[in-house]
Amino acid sequence: MPHEPTPDPHSDPPLHPALLTGPPHPRLAEVRQALDSLNPGHEAPPAAHLTARLTRAWTVRHASPDHREVVGALLPGLIRDAQASALQARTAATRRTAQSLLAEAYFLAQFFCAYQPDAPLVWRVAERGMTAAQDSEDPHAIGLAAWLTTQAHRDSAHYEAADAVTHETLRYLTPLLPDATKDVRAVAGALTVEAGLTAARRGETGTAWHHWDQARLLAETLPRTYFHPVTSFSRAVIAAHAVTVAVELHAGGESVRQSARAESETIPSRPRHRIEQARAYHLDAQPDVALATLAQAHATAPDTVRYNGYARRIILEEAEAKSPSRRRRASDLAARLGLVS
């Protein structure tokens, strides 16, 4: 993993750690124990069986209102079985397949562990995921590892490291794209979006929109009904990414315009994109609409809002608003999320 440079003093500061860190999930200790047990000591299941379970876990993560609970219940067994598969592989081909599945289990674990009070565990999982992906020699796994690592660096204001991971991986993936699968093209598109978001965080407007436009071109190579099972990258979701680019550039009016365009698209993980829309409305001085949007997201997927630092920041800020009615709505939502007693 690239070194972690000093944060750029000209960029916006990251979220305060108290906002980035949500409450510990009841299943965190069990997941951590599985991650710390590197020699499961049991016979590995067939690769096809493990693949099917991982596919189900990703589906649950996008669709279930209490996805952290469901994923947290699935993860310990997935991690132990994937580790057993990697340890027991006997040929080069089966070893590469096992490493790819192990990387995917670590990616799922990284999503679960994110924004919980154990930052070293998140980085440990990210490093293991990257190592397993590289050992698998699978472009899809390598791209996903880079996608997740880039986000972790950017959330920590390590923008140079985020750029290094993103651009080095894109240089590796780009020559493969003409003959690549849909999933590999989608991961390259998702990584290109990340390059744009890092540029936007730095205030580099032209660069940010250039990367978004390049991602749009990659999305157009995908079938209209296709959605990447991990990143959700697709033709439809590219509009939602435009909202986030505009928000990161602090362009309030543009972010709301992009939000209106994105609303017409049918995409998975809608609650996550509702949070980006709420950020747009809040940035555009429309706090009542922002709160209403977060309430919609909470009604659909409480776990998504509870562990999202941007959502918590808006809610806690509006819980101290001068408007009594807005203050009541925000305080009620904060109480439902467990942010206040």
Side-chain angles (χ1 to χ4, degrees):
M1 183 179 297
H3 72 287
E4 298 186 3
T6 302
D8 185 345
H10 302 294
S11 62
D12 291 321
L15 283 174
H16 189 278
L19 289 172
L20 276 174
T21 303
H25 193 277
R27 293 192 181 275
L28 178 61
E30 187 180 357
V31 172
R32 184 192 296 115
Q33 183 179 28
L35 289 165
D36 288 341
S37 302
L38 296 177
N39 191 356
H42 66 274
E43 185 176 352
H49 183 260
L50 195 51
T51 299
R53 288 162 58 196
L54 283 164
T55 299
R56 175 173 176 260
W58 287 118
T59 301
V60 164
R61 180 186 171 269
H62 288 296
S64 176
D66 58 344
H67 54 86
R68 282 189 185 255
E69 171 61 26
V70 180
V71 170
L74 296 173
L75 265 174
L78 279 170
I79 292 166
R80 292 188 181 101
D81 285 349
Q83 289 171 337
S85 180
L87 286 170
Q88 295 166 24
R90 292 293 176 263
T91 69
T94 58
R95 190 173 299 111
R96 285 193 297 270
T97 298
Q99 288 293 338
S100 180
L101 292 171
L102 179 59
E104 195 170 339
Y106 286 145
F107 301 155
L108 190 64
Q110 189 172 342
F111 275 110
F112 175 83
C113 296
Y115 308 123
Q116 296 194 57
D118 194 341
L121 180 64
V122 175
W123 281 106
R124 191 159 78 245
V125 174
E127 289 168 355
R128 287 187 188 172
M130 180 64 82
T131 299
Q134 290 171 336
D135 288 346
S136 76
E137 302 178 17
D138 177 2
H140 181 249
I142 292 168
L144 276 179
W147 182 74
L148 283 162
T149 302
T150 294
Q151 293 179 28
H153 278 304
R154 191 172 58 248
D155 283 345
S156 302
H158 299 149
Y159 303 135
E160 291 178 10
D163 277 339
V165 171
T166 305
H167 293 301
E168 287 171 12
T169 308
L170 283 172
R171 279 194 292 272
Y172 160 69
L173 290 176
T174 299
L176 307 178
L177 295 182
D179 301 313
T181 64
K182 294 188 294 290
D183 285 350
V184 171
R185 295 203 306 277
V187 167
L191 267 175
T192 305
V193 169
E194 295 304 318
L197 294 178
T198 304
R201 187 71 65 86
R202 285 173 152 158
E204 299 168 355
T205 302
T207 302
W209 286 115
H210 170 73
H211 286 309
W212 177 85
D213 199 50
Q214 293 301 305
R216 179 186 58 80
L217 293 174
L218 277 168
E220 289 175 356
T221 71
L222 300 169
R224 191 166 296 279
T225 58
Y226 170 88
F227 292 94
H228 187 267
V230 179
T231 69
S232 295
F233 188 81
S234 59
R235 289 189 179 198
V237 86
I238 198 70
H241 286 313
V243 178
T244 307
V245 170
V247 168
E248 294 290 359
L249 287 168
H250 298 279
E254 179 64 19
S255 63
V256 170
R257 284 191 293 274
Q258 294 291 349
S259 180
R261 292 185 189 127
E263 188 62 30
S264 65
E265 300 288 358
T266 301
I267 57 177
S269 297
R270 171 62 74 180
R272 293 177 179 84
H273 297 297
R274 287 282 184 218
I275 292 171
E276 295 305 298
Q277 290 176 311
R279 293 177 68 197
Y281 287 120
H282 199 252
L283 180 63
D284 198 45
Q286 299 186 54
D288 290 301
V289 183
L291 280 176
T293 304
L294 288 175
Q296 288 179 327
H298 177 263
T300 305
D303 268 8
T304 300
V305 180
R306 183 176 295 116
Y307 288 91
N308 185 281
Y310 295 108
R312 289 199 300 275
R313 178 165 65 183
I314 292 171
I315 293 165
L316 292 174
E317 185 176 314
E318 295 307 323
E320 299 179 357
K322 291 182 179 179
S323 166
S325 61
R326 192 190 313 146
R327 191 165 62 243
R328 282 194 299 272
R329 288 198 305 276
S331 297
D332 176 66
L333 189 52
R336 280 184 279 159
L337 290 170
L339 301 179
V340 295
S341 56

